[in-house]
Amino acid sequence: MKSITIKGSERESVGKVATKALRNAGAVPCVLYGGDQPVHFSAEEKAFKNLVYTPNAHTVVIDLGGKSFNAILQDIQFHPISDSILHIDFFQLKDDKEITMEVPVKVVGNSKGVMAGGVLRLNQRRLKVRALPKNLPDFVEADITELEMGNKLYVTKLKTEDFKLLHPENTVVAQVKISRAAMKAAQEAAKAAKAPAKGKKK
């Protein structure tokens, strides 16, 4: 999985006054969990742009000068009005311990059903996976090539080589629905097929 580096500095004071001062200065207070002790730090809000405002999934290298940690974003709080970032929690990665996170679904292939006039619906845009840090995928590939009109692609059909998908087996990832135009055409075709039959009864 691709990684983003966040440069920050450790926080000596974690009280409300210090936190407010950080936010007023355009910085975001953060906490890193998963180690022996939580690590409190801050970084400029713009440093999180490529991590937060993207559909992609990333691991994070937190660079605090003399120290660096590999982590994932665990929780984020936004201001209810301005949408500015208020606080972020990170979780430290360890090479020998599996981690759970959500990654995007990448659709590949040309569905037979779509080419026949159906409409593709992506039911799951992100899926929860569990793996060792080195095996975390950038995305989960969903091949829709064999989907006919009305077919569904279940999570059990996805390739999972070095990671596990944490979803029930009946989870639908994508499906091809009959479009209104295709339905109307089928109805008109059915009416046309019945017309001669009515004529023969006279």
Side-chain angles (χ1 to χ4, degrees):
M1 177 174 285
K2 295 175 183 176
S3 182
I4 288 177
T5 299
I6 302 292
K7 292 186 177 181
S9 55
E10 285 196 64
R11 298 167 60 197
E12 295 180 3
S13 178
V14 295
K16 289 184 179 180
V17 175
T19 299
K20 187 176 181 180
L22 275 174
R23 290 176 180 144
N24 289 340
V28 177
C30 306
V31 183
L32 172 66
Y33 295 101
D36 296 331
Q37 296 288 333
V39 177
H40 296 266
F41 69 98
S42 64
E44 292 185 10
E45 186 170 3
K46 63 183 180 181
F48 300 102
K49 182 179 68 173
N50 293 330
L51 175 66
V52 176
Y53 305 107
T54 174
N56 301 321
H58 298 91
T59 55
V60 183
V61 175
I62 299 171
D63 183 353
L64 302 180
K67 304 175 185 177
S68 67
F69 306 89
N70 291 320
I72 60 168
L73 190 154
Q74 188 172 50
D75 189 37
I76 186 168
Q77 297 173 18
F78 293 96
H79 191 281
I81 298 174
S82 66
D83 265 353
S84 59
I85 301 172
L86 293 178
H87 187 273
I88 300 181
D89 287 342
F90 291 93
F91 191 82
Q92 187 174 344
L93 298 178
K94 295 184 178 177
D95 294 340
D96 59 344
K97 287 190 176 181
E98 290 186 330
I99 192 75
T100 299
M101 71 181 297
E102 286 190 342
V103 299
V105 173
K106 182 181 180 181
V107 175
V108 297
N110 295 311
S111 163
K112 296 176 181 177
V114 171
M115 288 189 286
V119 176
L120 178 69
R121 179 181 176 188
L122 188 59
N123 299 61
Q124 303 290 333
R125 295 186 179 277
R126 299 178 76 83
L127 291 171
K128 191 176 289 186
V129 304
R130 185 167 184 81
L132 291 172
K134 67 177 182 179
N135 294 330
L136 285 170
D138 290 312
F139 52 82
V140 177
E141 192 172 279
D143 189 347
I144 62 169
T145 304
E146 298 302 320
L147 287 185
E148 302 277 3
M149 195 97 72
N151 286 175
K152 295 177 180 179
L153 178 65
Y154 291 94
V155 73
T156 51
K157 295 296 183 180
L158 304 182
K159 292 181 181 178
T160 55
E161 294 178 1
D162 299 317
F163 59 90
K164 302 171 191 171
L165 286 170
L166 304 181
H167 293 268
E169 292 184 357
N170 62 349
T171 300
V172 177
V173 179
Q175 62 187 118
V176 178
K177 290 197 160 190
I178 300 174
S179 66
R180 290 182 181 179
M183 193 177 293
K184 187 176 180 181
Q187 289 171 346
E188 289 176 352
K191 286 179 183 178
K194 289 179 180 178
K198 287 182 180 179
K200 288 178 182 179
K201 288 180 181 179
K202 289 181 179 179

